[in-house]
Amino acid sequence: MKWSLCSTGNRDKPVEYVLNRVRELGLDGVELWTGHIDEYAERWGAVDGLVDEVRSSGWQVPAISPYTHFTKSDEERAESLAAVEKAAQYAVRFGSPLVRIFLGHLPSAEASEELWDRAIQTLKQALDLADRYGVNLGLEMHNNTFADSIESIRRIIVDADHPRLRLLFDGFNLYLERTDQAEALEAFYDYTDHVHIKNYFWKLDAPESRKPSTVLVGDVDNIKLCEMLRSKGYEGFLSFEYFGAEGELCVKESVAELRSGGWMKGTVRG
């Protein structure tokens, strides 16, 4: 298994800050938020320098990550499609196989059939667009979206019916919907191209109590997740997804834990 860092966790800082973290942690890659790439291009007039730095560092980019919904107004759906196309273009530049997407701006249980159908039709357009660039779309499992349960994710896969639709597995997001991540991984492993990993102490009925923890300590059993992925022969990336100063510390401590447990190679620097 390979390990990367989601640059979305540092949306308030330039991408160079994220790359420095990746370097200090000794990770294998970086999942790039499109906002970071856009901001770099605005400063330097092109993304060439960023592409060169990533490649010269020996890193891979497992996913390019825009934000999408496909479910609001006609204007929003057009913006989501444009975001997918720009991300697909970036994916080609960085040699990334996957564009992360979200589907839906509200929980699946609250979606009308009309809204669901409209979302699926727009998703199909996005999938056809991604196919033109030779990349896949990785639907992120996430609470408060259409992909918030095993049943709804299965329905999206069936309704979209497209080989370019893959999954970005995030077991903690499903935990917030009281779904066991081991059950979800068994159901969707064959569709999983990328994994987000994080952990929290989070009382489900009192979310204000949430506190980030290292990936191997917290409310979800990520040791079991890693064991399942290893037993299934997973060769993709697990990407740390944390926000804020506490989150940064959790990533550093997680890397140390994972290395001491034999899940990662090398030592933590800095």
Side-chain angles (χ1 to χ4, degrees):
M1 296 186 291
K2 294 168 285 190
W3 301 86
S4 56
L5 184 68
C6 295
S7 83
T8 51
N10 291 120
R11 285 178 295 192
D12 60 333
K13 294 182 173 66
V15 70
E16 290 89 347
Y17 180 88
V18 179
L19 299 187
N20 190 52
R21 289 186 65 201
V22 173
R23 186 173 292 108
E24 289 178 347
L25 293 166
L27 302 180
D28 305 299
V30 56
E31 177 183 334
L32 288 171
W33 172 49
T34 51
H36 273 137
I37 306 173
D38 289 342
E39 192 274 336
Y40 183 95
E42 288 175 8
R43 274 191 288 126
W44 297 99
V47 300
D48 300 30
L50 183 57
V51 172
D52 289 344
E53 181 170 358
V54 170
R55 288 180 177 170
S56 65
S57 298
W59 298 322
Q60 293 176 263
V61 179
I64 301 292
S65 296
Y67 284 91
T68 64
H69 291 107
F70 304 123
T71 52
K72 293 184 178 179
S73 64
D74 290 344
E75 180 182 7
E76 187 279 332
R77 288 194 296 279
E79 289 173 352
S80 286
L81 288 172
V84 167
E85 181 160 24
K86 176 185 276 189
Q89 291 168 346
Y90 284 152
V92 172
R93 289 297 312 277
F94 285 92
S96 178
L98 198 70
V99 169
R100 186 277 306 274
I101 60 167
F102 294 107
L103 182 66
H105 66 284
L106 74 174
S108 61
E110 297 178 16
S112 66
E113 284 300 310
E114 179 183 2
L115 184 59
W116 186 279
D117 290 344
R118 191 159 62 238
I120 293 297
Q121 290 305 312
T122 312
L123 173 59
K124 288 181 177 180
Q125 290 179 261
L127 287 161
D128 288 341
L129 191 158
D131 190 47
R132 283 184 240 149
Y133 291 90
V135 299
N136 293 334
L137 298 188
L139 173 65
E140 182 167 344
M141 301 173 173
H142 206 288
N143 53 306
N144 296 321
T145 71
F146 289 8
D148 59 4
S149 70
I150 290 175
E151 295 75 17
S152 66
I153 294 166
R154 187 173 286 124
R155 180 178 176 183
I156 293 168
I157 292 170
V158 171
D159 288 359
D161 188 26
H162 200 293
R164 287 290 181 187
L165 180 61
R166 306 296 294 170
L167 294 178
L168 194 165
F169 186 89
D170 192 316
F172 194 89
N173 287 343
L174 291 186
Y175 165 76
L176 298 179
E177 298 288 343
R178 293 174 167 79
T179 296
D180 179 68
Q181 69 171 354
E183 180 184 357
L185 186 63
E186 285 293 346
F188 298 119
Y189 177 75
D190 288 344
Y191 290 93
T192 297
D193 280 4
H194 187 44
V195 176
H196 278 178
I197 191 165
K198 56 181 177 272
N199 221 333
Y200 286 79
F201 293 107
W202 191 312
K203 295 179 181 178
L204 294 178
D205 296 318
E208 66 278 1
S209 67
R210 65 191 180 194
K211 179 176 176 58
S213 66
T214 57
V215 295
L216 300 184
V217 179
D219 288 349
V220 300
D221 188 351
N222 283 328
I223 294 177
K224 183 176 181 179
L225 175 69
C226 289
E227 289 173 344
M228 289 178 69
L229 289 168
R230 177 178 284 177
S231 70
K232 291 177 180 295
Y234 180 68
E235 296 181 346
F237 275 83
L238 290 89
S239 201
F240 297 104
E241 187 192 35
Y242 285 88
F243 297 84
E246 275 190 290
E248 288 196 28
L249 181 60
C250 283
V251 172
K252 184 172 183 178
E253 292 178 348
S254 293
V255 168
E257 280 184 351
L258 289 160
R259 287 199 166 118
S260 67
W263 295 105
M264 298 177 70
K265 297 178 181 178
T267 58
V268 185
R269 285 172 276 211

